[in-house]
Amino acid sequence: MEKLAAYQSYLALPYPKVILRRGVSIGTPDETCLLVMYVDCSSQKAMFAALEKMMQEFTKIVRNGKYIVLVDDAYLPKGNVPISISLGSFFATYNIVYWGMTGLRQAEELQYTLFFASRVYYMTSPLTHGPVFEWNRGLLRNTTFEIYGQAVNAFPYTHSQGGGQFRGIDMSIFENVMERIGCLLQVLVVGKTEDTDSDIEQIMNRLHQMRLDVMLTRRDVKEGTLPVVYIPDFTYYCLVAPRYTQIDLTRSLLRPFSSDVWWFIVSCGVGIHLAKEVSKYDTAVRAFVRRLNLTAKPFLSFYRISFAIICFVLFESYLAKVTSYFLTYRFLPDAKTLDEFYATGIPIRLEHGSDRFLQFLEPRARDLIVARGVSSAECDEFSRACAHLDSFARASYVINENIDVDPVTGRKQSYIVPEMIANYNYLSYCFARGSTLTDLVAVYLQRMYETGLMRLYQRQYEQYLLPNNYAHVVAESSLQFAHLMSLWICVSVGWGLSVSVFAMELVLSWLVRMSRKGRTFRKVHRVIKKRGWHKQEGHS
């Protein structure tokens, strides 16, 4: 290298320089390394054999070093495009993006190729470090071409919720990037099937085979399989639970008063009733009351007025409170924490392929979810039969926009448990192997965060995540008996209390009659005994 004047600029670069013997593996260089290698291009077989031996220790996709490939000068005149394409295809297999080919003795320029799903570009550049080995390597000035991407329905990143064209935060990001680099974005919307593993495999294969350039929807990509750009945003996952319409009647009827007030009312009622019953008979208590002169007219009027006022206040307070609780708290309350939800025993819907998501949860939460897990075929999302795992953004949108308010309960049939199940900040955009778009998107993405453009994209969707508590729902059907649930409850409670009081009066009347009959029987028995005793004395 020292003898070749054309490479003095490369020797002066602050990179580690190691000279390896021919046919020896170079390991897995990182992005700080500059590698210069000679490749025999006399035949494609010899070229690939030498390269495969050098890169036999490459086992996963990493950010790689920069490569200068030296070939015999005979293969360079007039641009030997087949050799550049073969080298580019081979390097893309190992995700080597920054490489250039030049002559062994008469180095005049660097030749390389840019691989895109739509076409391949043959490029030449002076013997300098940039732009061949810089982030804007794939930026083609005054050239417009198509970038092929794929996306899945994942609100709010890429979706078609509410109709209209495919859109979302990630779509806005890539449309902005494509506008800056002068490309046209073509999107393949990937449909979801029951076989999640097969769907993921097909998405990955399209990128491995470079049939598509990028996966537009941010995903959790296994490290070392594809080049990725990580997104510094948190994504929250939650439990979406069903609301049951079971009425908590007992608690709603008793909730207006505390237990102390209820015991006071019961005690006073029992005491007043016993006093009234005792006052009917000639007992010591009745004599004591008369001695105190408490039954005089002024005292009696005062007692009645006080009793009426206390009863009025209690009745009105109870009715006001019970009406409020029937409107708000007559149903079982929603779970506020994950522990409260787990205590309900509601089954949790687990989709096929959710094992990878569950692996990242803490062991206790994972065990509790798996213990309550049911197959996705047993119940649907947002149904009353089970809960399910979902992203907070998508669940909020679906509940606020697509789930109707139940006309009977006046509430949504699903809700989000406030305590999140997990949050992740390692979602990323993944690209085809050897794609020069990786660093382009990474740089423009950083600029979007610095200028606040990302916050603008996110705020466009925050309105869908806010609960619409004041929505007026117009029922399309006529008034039905089921809509009068509150009326039936009040009528049933009134009838129930009336029947209960009537039954208590019947029982009390029966007890009084039985008591009187008992006393009459005892008097008759005593009279008969006395008469019998007198007759015995007469005979004697």
Side-chain angles (χ1 to χ4, degrees):
M1 291 293 295
E2 288 79 0
K3 297 179 180 179
L4 302 175
Y7 301 104
Q8 293 302 317
S9 60
Y10 288 103
L11 294 174
L13 292 174
Y15 291 105
K17 308 173 188 67
V18 179
I19 299 177
L20 299 176
R21 291 181 295 113
R22 179 180 177 182
V24 177
S25 173
I26 62 175
T28 308
D30 60 21
E31 57 186 328
T32 63
C33 298
L34 175 66
L35 298 97
V36 182
M37 60 176 63
Y38 170 75
V39 176
D40 181 11
C41 296
S42 57
S43 66
Q44 190 179 59
K45 182 179 180 180
M47 178 178 67
F48 285 166
L51 290 172
E52 288 174 357
K53 186 171 291 186
M54 284 187 242
M55 300 181 182
Q56 59 187 354
E57 295 183 16
F58 278 64
T59 57
K60 62 180 182 178
I61 300 298
V62 296
R63 290 190 64 85
N64 216 305
K66 300 170 177 62
Y67 293 75
I68 298 178
V69 180
L70 304 180
V71 299
D72 293 332
D73 298 79
Y75 299 109
L76 293 180
K78 299 181 181 180
N80 199 325
V81 178
I83 293 180
S84 295
I85 292 177
S86 298
L87 283 174
S89 176
F90 181 86
F91 282 135
T93 305
Y94 297 92
N95 194 44
I96 297 174
V97 178
Y98 298 102
W99 67 275
M101 179 182 70
T102 188
L104 178 62
R105 302 187 181 280
Q106 296 180 358
E108 297 179 355
E109 62 182 9
L110 286 173
Q111 301 176 7
Y112 59 96
T113 51
L114 299 178
F115 275 77
F116 298 98
S118 58
R119 59 182 302 178
V120 179
Y121 288 92
Y122 172 78
M123 309 292 294
T124 60
S125 175
L127 282 172
T128 57
H129 185 266
V132 180
F133 298 111
E134 293 180 348
W135 66 271
N136 57 352
R137 170 190 176 101
L139 190 60
L140 303 180
R141 303 295 183 183
N142 302 321
T143 302
T144 301
F145 58 97
E146 293 181 337
I147 295 294
Y148 295 151
Q150 57 184 339
V152 297
N153 271 291
F155 183 89
Y157 306 118
T158 51
H159 69 97
S160 57
Q161 300 282 356
Q165 62 182 2
F166 207 69
R167 60 193 183 279
I169 295 177
D170 292 341
M171 284 294 298
S172 299
I173 291 173
F174 275 94
E175 286 173 355
N176 190 299
V177 173
M178 294 301 111
E179 183 180 354
R180 295 294 181 273
I181 65 178
C183 297
L184 301 176
L185 182 62
Q186 301 292 334
V187 182
L188 169 67
V189 180
V190 180
K192 186 178 180 181
T193 65
E194 296 181 356
D195 192 350
T196 306
D197 294 335
S198 176
D199 294 343
I200 296 175
E201 183 179 358
Q202 292 182 12
I203 290 173
M204 301 294 282
N205 286 340
R206 295 188 190 101
L207 298 176
H208 284 301
Q209 299 168 7
M210 295 195 70
R211 287 185 288 163
L212 296 176
D213 296 298
V214 60
M215 177 65 180
L216 301 178
T217 309
R218 60 187 73 182
R219 309 293 290 175
D220 174 23
V221 182
K222 187 177 181 181
E223 183 181 2
T225 56
L226 285 171
V228 297
V229 174
Y230 287 99
I231 307 161
D233 288 334
F234 277 96
T235 300
Y236 296 92
Y237 289 88
C238 61
L239 271 171
V240 181
R243 278 194 177 107
Y244 292 123
T245 58
Q246 179 182 355
I247 299 174
D248 191 8
L249 187 58
T250 304
R251 186 181 300 181
S252 297
L253 289 174
L254 298 178
R255 182 176 286 191
F257 293 155
S258 65
S259 58
D260 297 336
V261 176
W262 279 117
W263 280 115
F264 171 76
I265 294 174
V266 172
S267 302
C268 291
V270 172
I272 293 172
H273 183 72
L274 290 177
K276 290 176 64 177
E277 289 297 323
V278 169
S279 65
K280 296 178 181 179
Y281 307 103
D282 191 6
T283 59
V285 176
R286 182 178 180 182
F288 177 74
V289 172
R290 285 179 177 178
R291 202 175 299 123
L292 294 177
N293 200 20
L294 296 178
T295 57
K297 190 172 183 180
F299 287 104
L300 194 59
S301 299
F302 174 75
Y303 297 151
R304 289 176 178 174
I305 293 173
S306 300
F307 180 76
I309 292 175
I310 294 174
C311 290
F312 174 78
V313 172
L314 290 176
F315 271 117
E316 292 302 321
S317 300
Y318 180 83
L319 291 175
K321 280 288 188 179
V322 81
T323 302
S324 173
Y325 285 126
F326 269 138
L327 292 176
T328 308
Y329 301 109
R330 62 189 174 104
F331 300 99
L332 296 175
D334 298 339
K336 302 299 182 184
T337 64
L338 293 176
D339 290 335
E340 291 181 5
F341 170 80
Y342 296 144
T344 60
I346 298 174
I348 302 176
R349 179 180 186 269
L350 296 178
E351 293 187 0
H352 179 70
S354 60
D355 297 340
R356 177 169 171 78
F357 173 80
L358 296 175
Q359 289 176 358
F360 292 98
L361 300 180
E362 59 178 4
R364 178 177 177 272
R366 180 175 62 248
D367 295 340
L368 290 171
I369 291 174
V370 172
R372 292 160 177 78
V374 295
S375 173
S376 58
E378 297 183 21
C379 63
D380 298 327
E381 290 183 332
F382 302 98
S383 67
R384 297 185 186 273
C386 63
H388 72 277
L389 301 170
D390 208 334
S391 67
F392 176 77
R394 178 177 179 272
S396 299
Y397 175 82
V398 174
I399 291 175
N400 294 333
E401 299 295 326
N402 297 344
I403 303 298
D404 295 330
V405 176
D406 191 336
V408 176
T409 63
R411 306 190 305 172
K412 301 277 189 176
Q413 70 177 18
S414 298
Y415 71 97
I416 297 174
V417 179
E419 184 179 353
M420 295 293 103
I421 192 73
N423 61 79
Y424 300 118
N425 63 343
Y426 52 78
L427 299 184
S428 58
Y429 302 125
C430 55
F431 299 82
R433 289 195 178 195
S435 175
T436 57
L437 291 175
T438 306
D439 287 348
L440 278 174
V441 173
V443 171
Y444 281 111
L445 189 65
Q446 180 181 358
R447 293 178 180 177
M448 289 181 186
Y449 276 103
E450 292 173 350
T451 58
L453 194 57
M454 292 294 294
R455 179 57 183 163
L456 177 62
Y457 291 151
Q458 293 170 358
R459 289 185 63 181
Q460 293 176 355
Y461 292 90
E462 287 180 354
Q463 57 179 324
Y464 298 110
L465 309 184
L466 298 175
N468 194 352
N469 295 325
Y470 305 102
H472 296 278
V473 178
V474 179
E476 298 180 358
S477 59
S478 302
L479 186 66
Q480 302 176 6
F481 285 106
H483 300 160
L484 304 175
M485 182 62 68
S486 300
L487 177 61
W488 302 138
I489 292 173
C490 293
V491 172
S492 300
V493 171
W495 287 350
L497 291 176
S498 301
V499 172
S500 301
V501 171
F502 178 69
M504 290 176 61
E505 290 179 351
L506 290 178
V507 172
L508 183 60
S509 177
W510 179 80
L511 291 175
V512 171
R513 289 198 305 270
M514 293 300 295
S515 176
R516 289 176 179 174
K517 287 181 180 180
R519 286 197 298 270
T520 304
F521 175 78
R522 285 193 295 271
K523 288 180 180 180
V524 172
H525 183 67
R526 284 197 297 268
V527 170
I528 293 174
K529 287 182 66 177
K530 287 181 180 180
R531 289 179 179 178
W533 181 72
H534 287 304
K535 286 181 179 181
Q536 290 179 0
E537 284 184 346
H539 289 300
S540 63

